[in-house]
Amino acid sequence: MNTMTKTGSGLKGQDFLTLLELEEETLSALLSEAARLKASPIEPVLAGKTLAMIFEKSSTRTRVSFEAGMLQLGGHALFLSNSDLQLGRGESIADTAKVLSGYTDAIMIRTFEHSKAEELAKHASVPVINGLTDLYHPCQALADLLTIKELKGDFKDKKVVYIGDGNNVAHSLMIACAKTGMDFTIACPEGYEPDEAVRLKALEAASQTGADICVTHTPQEAVAGADIIYSDVWASMGQEEESLKRLKDFEGFQVNEKLMTYAKADACFLHCLPAHRGEEVTAEVIDGPKSAVFRQAENRLHAQKALLKMILS
């Protein structure tokens, strides 16, 4: 039986649920390790280790990047959908956590309610990684930071602007900026602001780094002086029934070539993907010379490998 306990310095043996768990020094070390692994991808330091991957939400980037990452680190990943687990027949999260802890070295979950990830972590004796919940997407934020560092050299005096819904991606990006000292502004329609409890947590983190956290309803004002402009779909997974309403509510919040002119001349565009061209972003922007979305997508692999290595080795 696996006997790993959630103790130790840095990230070793620790859960990764929100990004708030990482101290500034640990986050910096993780990003440096991600860059090193990107340059030298095959490093079998996790030989004999197994990652259980629970998917209650479908995925392209999360599944492939974690599975490929474990392989490149010498370990193995198990894809587990609801139909593969007794969760789909009513077994509790607690029982699932205890069983998987006896078989594997870590558990990644991609699900809806954030409380499920917290419950899993509470009862698992091995580290739990949040691959996405409705409240946070911290693995995406790690890739975002790695990409911004590659594009801009460092985080000093940088401004990141998110245009769209105050969702899980916005929450984790806001925390990532707060942790690294970058100014963060979200421009969203009224009623689509970030969760207030999450915003307060980001503000607390920002108080330690000097980052500025702002919420506005005017995209043109938001992107003034921006180094990075970021967007996501207007209707996330599980919100499909709201698509028509959201299309109307988000009129004027599309990232297009005109909006990009309000930012710095060397501003770059990021998107967590999948993207709906013609809705939250035009094809001219996402497929244009200022876009780094496919570098950003690739960086999910490298950032998560660094995370896995620091947690498991």
Side-chain angles (χ1 to χ4, degrees):
M1 180 174 177
N2 197 308
T3 57
M4 178 177 285
T5 56
K6 298 179 183 183
T7 59
S9 59
L11 269 175
K12 185 173 176 61
Q14 300 300 300
D15 299 321
F16 181 69
L17 300 182
T18 68
L19 194 68
L20 290 164
E21 305 94 340
L22 270 61
E23 299 294 335
E24 186 177 351
E25 182 179 343
T26 304
L27 179 55
S28 178
L30 190 154
L31 294 174
S32 295
E33 182 63 11
R36 192 189 67 77
L37 288 169
K38 185 173 183 177
S40 182
I42 307 301
E43 187 174 300
V45 292
L46 299 186
K49 302 284 188 180
T50 302
L51 173 70
M53 305 189 302
I54 301 174
F55 283 89
E56 294 192 317
K57 279 189 173 184
S58 59
S59 167
T60 298
R61 281 149 291 277
T62 299
R63 177 179 177 178
V64 178
S65 58
F66 268 109
E67 197 160 329
M70 281 298 288
L71 177 64
Q72 292 177 13
L73 291 171
H76 180 68
L78 293 168
F79 173 80
L80 303 167
S81 68
N82 262 5
S83 61
D84 298 311
L85 293 168
Q86 296 297 336
L87 277 172
R89 296 180 60 243
E91 185 168 34
S92 70
I93 288 280
D95 286 357
T96 300
K98 293 170 185 175
V99 169
L100 292 179
S101 294
Y103 298 147
T104 68
D105 300 281
I107 306 169
M108 187 280 294
I109 185 168
R110 181 178 170 93
T111 188
F112 293 88
E113 301 90 346
H114 187 69
S115 59
K116 283 190 175 182
E118 292 177 324
E119 182 78 359
L120 189 69
K122 177 181 177 182
H123 293 283
S125 59
V126 298
V128 172
I129 298 170
N130 176 7
L132 176 143
T133 65
D134 285 346
L135 200 58
Y136 297 104
H137 198 353
C139 290
Q140 178 63 56
L142 291 180
D144 297 339
L145 289 176
L146 179 59
T147 307
I148 293 169
K149 191 172 184 180
E150 288 177 346
L151 293 170
K152 299 299 178 182
D154 57 43
F155 303 127
K156 183 176 174 58
D157 300 324
K158 300 301 184 294
K159 179 181 179 181
V160 176
V161 177
Y162 178 96
I163 309 292
D165 185 24
N167 60 13
N168 50 4
V169 171
H171 289 161
S172 291
L173 183 64
M174 177 167 57
I175 292 167
C177 289
K179 287 277 187 178
T180 53
M182 291 189 289
D183 292 339
F184 174 85
T185 298
I186 176 172
C188 58
E190 292 187 16
Y192 292 93
E193 296 85 0
D195 181 89
E196 182 61 13
V198 175
R199 189 184 72 87
L200 292 175
K201 291 175 183 176
L203 284 172
E204 183 178 354
S207 69
Q208 305 299 313
T209 63
D212 192 22
I213 307 293
C214 295
V215 179
T216 180
H217 304 298
T218 309
Q220 293 79 9
E221 289 182 8
V223 302
D227 297 282
I228 300 291
I229 297 178
Y230 197 121
S231 188
D232 187 13
V233 294
W234 291 336
S236 298
M237 214 176 301
Q239 299 172 333
E240 289 81 2
E241 74 283 354
E242 302 175 22
S243 293
L244 291 178
K245 180 180 186 300
R246 284 170 173 261
L247 280 174
K248 181 178 179 181
D249 291 348
F250 280 85
E251 286 181 10
F253 286 83
Q254 183 186 76
V255 179
N256 50 40
E257 288 182 309
K258 182 177 180 181
L259 185 65
M260 293 292 291
T261 64
Y262 289 88
K264 289 183 178 178
D266 63 348
C268 296
F269 176 75
L270 298 181
H271 192 299
C272 57
L273 300 179
H276 293 166
R277 289 166 175 79
E279 293 184 12
E280 75 275 5
V281 61
T282 61
E284 290 77 13
V285 171
I286 195 170
D287 299 318
K290 293 190 174 184
S291 175
V293 298
F294 296 108
R295 177 194 289 207
Q296 177 189 9
E298 180 191 331
N299 280 340
R300 287 287 303 276
L301 170 66
H302 310 302
Q304 288 161 191
K305 283 171 65 180
L307 177 67
L308 290 164
K309 181 180 176 182
M310 292 178 73
I311 287 176
L312 291 175
S313 66

